[in-house]
Amino acid sequence: MSQRPGAILNALTIDLEDWAQSTLGAHLPITARVVRNTQRVLHLLTAHDVHATFFALGKVCERYPELLPMVAEAGHEIGTHGYGHELLYSITPARFREDLERSIDLIVRQIGRRPVSYRAPAFSITRDSLWAGPILAELGIRYSSSIFPIAGGRYGIPDAPRFPHRWPTCDLLEFPLTTVRRFGRNWPVCGGGYVRLLPYALVAGAIREVNRLRHPAVVYLHPYELDVTEVAELRRQGWPISRERYVHQSLFRGRVRGRLARLMTEFRFAPLTEVLAHE
Ligand SMILES: [Zn+2]
């Protein structure tokens, strides 16, 4: 199936972060790989003439200040992923506000614009952290893509709405991460490890299914997913990576680039706020 002019616009979102720091431990240093990996993503998007939303992690942009201007210059939307990648349900509302303010200030300093969209680190808006919504709205965030409507081990609200909707407690439009419904449950398919590990037909089929219902889908990826040798190299250098994590995090990374390219050929994508403007 090829891309059709009248087809539904889906959101393409990139969480701009460094694998080691966001996966192995929030206290770990940011590696220079994030710069090279972001350039890889930018080249691929440019080649397909697609604009995306980059949810920038403050700590990464502070360490590599050339990064965010480069992404903004290429015409992509800049949202915030917070500053330190601390999971919301593990910190206090006061600490979250401080983290978010710090990330917003940094984005304003680096590209001269306030972000209006947000993604929680590791989708950590759960039942235990719904207090985050009003804080986001107070700080000028209008769009969030932070709730996974699944029964996940570390994240998810299983009975949350599956499609874009307003938060009941504040002026915020939520774009939940895309799922398919099977056997009475919602299943994750459209991002990160799911795009890497599941069969391509399942991922594309899910987007097609959601679009047939006249809803947009949201796809999320990270620059590091295009870095095929990262996990093996860091492990050899002595970073704390267990065998199990090595296998789970590096398996089939070589597929991701081709899959993202194919998705961009088969579906229409735009930044999150542009997609929600059509809602
Ligand atoms: Zn993240």
Side-chain angles (χ1 to χ4, degrees):
M1 192 175 94
S2 63
Q3 180 183 312
R4 302 180 314 269
I8 284 192
L9 268 184
N10 298 293
L12 182 60
T13 62
I14 309 291
D15 295 355
L16 184 45
E17 64 188 37
D18 185 42
W19 177 76
Q21 193 266 339
S22 61
T23 309
L24 299 179
H27 61 286
L28 290 169
I30 314 281
T31 75
R33 303 182 86 103
V34 67
V35 179
R36 200 167 65 226
N37 293 337
T38 303
Q39 283 166 336
R40 287 181 170 135
V41 174
L42 290 175
H43 287 148
L44 192 58
L45 297 191
T46 300
H48 288 263
D49 197 20
V50 166
H51 288 129
T53 295
F54 282 69
F55 289 111
L57 188 68
K59 215 168 181 178
V60 166
C61 302
E62 193 172 64
R63 176 70 184 79
Y64 295 102
E66 71 275 28
L67 208 47
L68 214 46
M70 182 172 81
V71 176
E73 180 67 24
H76 301 287
E77 183 200 353
I78 306 295
T80 169
H81 196 35
Y83 177 80
H85 216 269
E86 295 178 319
L87 305 181
L88 269 56
Y89 48 73
S90 68
I91 57 176
T92 63
R95 188 175 171 105
F96 170 65
R97 178 187 287 271
E98 202 179 292
D99 177 280
L100 183 63
E101 273 179 331
R102 195 170 174 188
S103 81
I104 292 173
D105 290 349
L106 193 75
I107 290 172
V108 171
R109 271 206 309 282
Q110 292 195 339
I111 63 161
R113 281 194 304 274
R114 276 187 83 86
V116 293
S117 58
Y118 172 78
R119 170 162 295 141
F123 317 111
S124 55
I125 296 189
T126 63
R127 285 196 195 297
D128 296 329
S129 46
L130 288 171
W131 44 256
I135 297 174
L136 288 163
E138 263 176 54
L139 293 179
I141 301 296
R142 294 171 53 213
Y143 306 95
S144 159
S145 181
S146 304
I147 296 180
F148 228 132
I150 58 166
R154 288 170 300 123
Y155 50 76
I157 302 181
D159 57 353
R162 290 178 57 217
F163 303 115
H165 60 280
R166 294 235 155 245
W167 275 58
T169 50
C170 57
D171 184 18
L172 197 59
L173 189 56
E174 177 71 31
F175 196 157
L177 283 304
T178 296
T179 54
V180 283
R181 189 142 182 94
R182 297 281 186 280
F183 317 113
R185 287 179 61 171
N186 302 331
W187 302 89
V189 265
C190 289
Y194 308 114
V195 165
R196 178 164 53 91
L197 299 169
L198 295 174
Y200 175 82
L202 216 63
V203 180
I207 300 175
R208 219 166 273 137
E209 191 174 311
V210 165
N211 287 174
R212 264 201 304 268
L213 297 169
R214 310 307 295 165
H215 289 294
V218 52
V219 170
Y220 70 91
L221 285 166
H222 307 83
Y224 58 70
E225 277 157 327
L226 300 190
D227 189 343
V228 179
T229 56
E230 174 173 48
V231 188
E233 283 176 21
L234 293 187
R235 194 157 183 257
R236 269 202 301 277
Q237 289 164 17
W239 288 65
I241 304 166
S242 66
R243 170 86 198 155
E244 191 188 24
R245 183 164 250 165
Y246 161 66
V247 172
H248 178 261
Q249 295 281 322
S250 66
L251 191 66
F252 301 141
R253 271 198 188 184
R255 284 174 169 178
V256 178
R257 184 192 158 82
R259 288 186 164 195
L260 175 56
R262 195 169 163 195
L263 286 172
M264 289 190 289
T265 311
E266 292 186 12
F267 299 95
R268 291 178 72 211
F269 287 101
L272 186 97
T273 52
E274 195 181 321
V275 172
L276 291 179
H278 290 74
E279 272 298 288

